[in-house]
DNA sequence: CTGAAAGCGCTTACAG
DNA sequence: CTGAAAGCGCTTACAG
């Protein structure tokens, strides 16, 4: 289908009696143009419904103003909030977002990134998604900075990661559980070898070892509801089940609460402590009242956007850890 | 900062010993080019890390391949699922998504759409967001089709709306509640005058009138958790409270359940029926077990994408209603 | 302050 | 099947 062609700078110039270049200047803040002609141009543009073609501008300027975003499994993070904040902060800076999602976050988001590169995005933001080292370095060659959000960038150079504080969170949680008198702990990882899970598990077992307490049993919930429920069932069916379960995400923790409560008839807090990670909206709902360590999504987004807008070339991989805090709620209250 | 310039078709042509035009043809499916030269070009491109610049292509072709998307209040719909489906379906068709969100869905998304138009998007998709008639008609003038998802397009021409079946849902819900023996009903609207709420409320009161039953009390939850909780409190504090509440969204219904259960000590189902609309993921969680009328997001997305890809000019406003079904769960079970 | 002109990286008739 | 050339709608030195 043919597009009705929209007016160009040339058309506007004709109407205003100036050159096409003058029209361009009228729409370029800080360009050298007389106030009177600027006004005349703007009036003409108004009348014609002219909007500068950003594709053309991108082509000449060599920067698209577009940030490429790939979202992995959007369930693990306060996804809506993140997108909202991201969008508002970026558009305030005149940037726009070209978005992809990936079905399974296990595979690297290479296909999506390939497409993104064709649009000459100014930067790449991977939210809970991975990228192969090979493609990462191709981005670097192309001068496109890559940012990981809620994920580790790995060892490839020039990549910035912004994550929650898994280490401190894990330690704080361990401490809290022990203080509450729980002593047979289990850790439900998303994936056993996910860096975030490793850090949490390491912090947990480090604390337990220091207190001369028995190590925590480790299970895997695959970051999904069904997976978490299966893991919870398995753990709770054991002859000597744990008296507290620390889950790598709030989402899995909620599933665990439901299994414990409705399938095993356990009183949450009193008979089984459950603790999550992230402090998503549902954690504070009365039905769950989930103790958790917060992952301050807004701050994390802000951080990544700031770095992104700085537009400073990053030589070495950098990791930025945004601290959270322990939110004590009823799911780990003994009485 | 300067961008390291990426290789152009010209560079590739040089390496492969062909013209720049030949390079273009090598990357245009169906273009007239000898297989041998195509292979040579592709090899050269490979070596240089060449990717066709889609911005440039868009400029010459007059179509950007970009779909502009504005997301309003993302809480009311199974937002994640929708985005996931949308993304995968569109990228299968070689389309990409430029995304905006709007903080308050009350105001029209005009600012965002202005920006989108500057990128010469091929189509506009408003998800739970509004657009002023003025800007809508400007889109039409520019030949850009506008689609509303989960929202009515209003009377402006050339706009397609895809929505759930509020009318049938409202009727089915009314019928179900009455059959279960509830007889003092309340309807919690998002906004009193939102078209979706009107249709649901009308269907409900139509059914009640036909059955010669008393009309339902109507309250407003503003589509938000706090708003819904406040409305639920007000309704349940009355001397003669309703014995069932039909909420315009599952999200509000869940908030209502929590207020009724934890603040009023009511047994959900037995003492107070609660019913939602949409069938979001949480509705089926054991903690809520919420009866609801489904809004099949995947199908709705599929529908809107199909229409969008058809790329057929729409003369008159069209509305497509995707039927759902009643999901009977415990929240409206009397025994 | 302003215009003519070159150039951004493509596509696509038009000749050959 | 292939290349030279025009054109898509901008920006930006360069003269004036």
């Amino acid at each position: 289908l043919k597009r009705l062609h929209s007016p160009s700078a040339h058309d506007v110039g004709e109407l205003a009696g100036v050159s096409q270049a003058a029209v361009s200047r009228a729409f370029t803040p800080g360009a050298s143009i007389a106030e009177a002609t600027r006004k005349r141009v703007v009036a003409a543009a108004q009348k014609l419904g002219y909007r500068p073609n950003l594709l053309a501008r991108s082509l000449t300027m060599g920067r698209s103003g577009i940030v490429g975003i790939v979202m992995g499994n959007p369930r693990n993070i306060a996804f809506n909030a993140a997108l909202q904040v991201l969008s508002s902060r970026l558009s305030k800076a005149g940037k726009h977002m070209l978005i992809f999602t990936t079905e399974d976050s296990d595979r690297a988001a290479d296909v999506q990134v390939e497409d993104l590169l064709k649009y000459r995005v100014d930067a790449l933001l991977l939210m809970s998604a991975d990228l192969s080292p090979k493609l990462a370095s191709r981005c670097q060659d192309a001068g496109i900075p890559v940012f990981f959000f809620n994920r580790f960038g790995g060892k490839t150079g020039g990549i910035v990661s912004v994550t929650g504080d898994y280490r401190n969170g894990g330690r704080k949680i361990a401490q809290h559980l022990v203080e509450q008198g729980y002593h047979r702990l289990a850790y439900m990882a998303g994936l056993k070898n996910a860096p975030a899970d490793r850090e949490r598990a390491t912090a947990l077992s480090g604390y337990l070892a220091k207190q001369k307490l028995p190590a925590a049993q480790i299970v895997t919930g695959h970051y999904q509801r069904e997976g978490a429920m299966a893991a919870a069932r398995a753990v709770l069916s054991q002859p000597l089940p744990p008296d507290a379960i620390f889950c790598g995400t709030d989402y899995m923790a909620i599933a665990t609460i439901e299994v414990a409560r409705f399938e095993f008839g356990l009183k949450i807090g009193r008979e089984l402590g459950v603790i999550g990670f992230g402090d998503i909206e549902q954690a504070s709902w009365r039905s769950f009242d989930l103790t958790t360590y917060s992952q301050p999504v807004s701050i994390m987004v802000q951080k990544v956007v700031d770095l992104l807008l700085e537009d400073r070339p990053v030589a070495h991989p950098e990791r930025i850890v945004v601290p959270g805090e322990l939110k004590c709620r009823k799911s780990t209250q003994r009485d």
Side-chain angles (χ1 to χ4, degrees), chain A residues 152 166 187-203 218-220 223 247-249 252:
Chain A
F152 289 63
Y166 309 128
Y187 175 66
M188 187 186 293
L191 267 14
K192 226 158 211 150
N193 287 319
D197 283 307
R198 287 190 116 120
E199 292 203 349
R200 280 183 293 245
T202 303
I218 297 196
V219 293
T220 306
Y223 291 123
C247 299
T249 65
M252 293 195 294

Side-chain angles (χ1 to χ4, degrees), chain A residues 125-172:
Chain A
L125 178 51
L126 297 166
M127 304 185 74
S128 309
D130 281 328
L131 188 62
S132 74
K134 188 185 155 203
L135 200 50
S137 70
R138 284 181 75 183
C139 291
Q140 180 150 247
D141 292 349
I144 296 173
V146 177
F147 299 86
F148 280 80
F149 185 86
N150 197 34
R151 201 67 138 214
F152 289 63
K155 49 258 141 239
T156 323
I159 287 193
V160 179
S161 311
V162 176
T163 73
D165 196 342
Y166 309 128
R167 200 179 307 274
N168 183 47
R171 209 176 48 72
K172 277 276 197 301

Side-chain angles (χ1 to χ4, degrees), chain A residues 31-42:
Chain A
S32 137
I33 186 173
E35 182 56 22
T37 58
R38 202 190 58 76
K39 274 193 178 142
R40 203 139 37 88
V41 170
V42 168

Side-chain angles (χ1 to χ4, degrees), chain A residues 61-117:
Chain A
M61 304 254 288
R63 332 191 79 244
S64 62
I66 297 176
V67 175
I69 295 176
V70 182
M71 308 213 134
N73 187 343
R75 279 229 179 86
N76 293 332
I77 189 84
F79 177 68
N80 298 358
L83 196 62
Q84 204 89 272
V85 179
L86 194 61
S87 159
S88 92
R89 301 261 313 169
L90 284 179
S91 56
K92 219 159 282 169
K95 297 276 185 188
H96 299 107
M97 319 193 293
L98 208 52
I99 285 209
F100 282 82
T101 64
T102 63
E103 323 255 321
D104 68 307
S105 43
D106 295 349
R107 193 117 38 97
D110 285 27
V111 199
Q112 287 82 355
V113 169
E114 280 289 357
D115 264 19
L116 250 16
L117 290 177

Side-chain angles (χ1 to χ4, degrees), chain A residues 7-67:
Chain A
S8 71
H10 186 260
D11 301 329
V12 176
E14 201 149 89
L15 180 59
V18 297
S19 74
Q20 174 271 141
V23 176
S24 170
R25 291 194 181 101
F27 285 93
T28 306
S32 137
I33 186 173
E35 182 56 22
T37 58
R38 202 190 58 76
K39 274 193 178 142
R40 203 139 37 88
V41 170
V42 168
Q46 188 82 280
K47 186 174 312 178
L48 260 44
Y50 169 76
R51 290 178 199 53
N53 183 330
L54 253 37
L55 296 170
R57 156 187 280 239
S58 299
L59 193 59
T60 61
M61 304 254 288
R63 332 191 79 244
S64 62
I66 297 176
V67 175

Side-chain angles (χ1 to χ4, degrees), chain A residues 200-221:
Chain A
R200 280 183 293 245
T202 303
L204 172 65
S205 49
Y207 183 85
L208 293 179
K210 217 167 59 189
Q211 303 291 314
K212 307 246 191 313
L213 292 167
Q217 173 182 10
I218 297 196
V219 293
T220 306

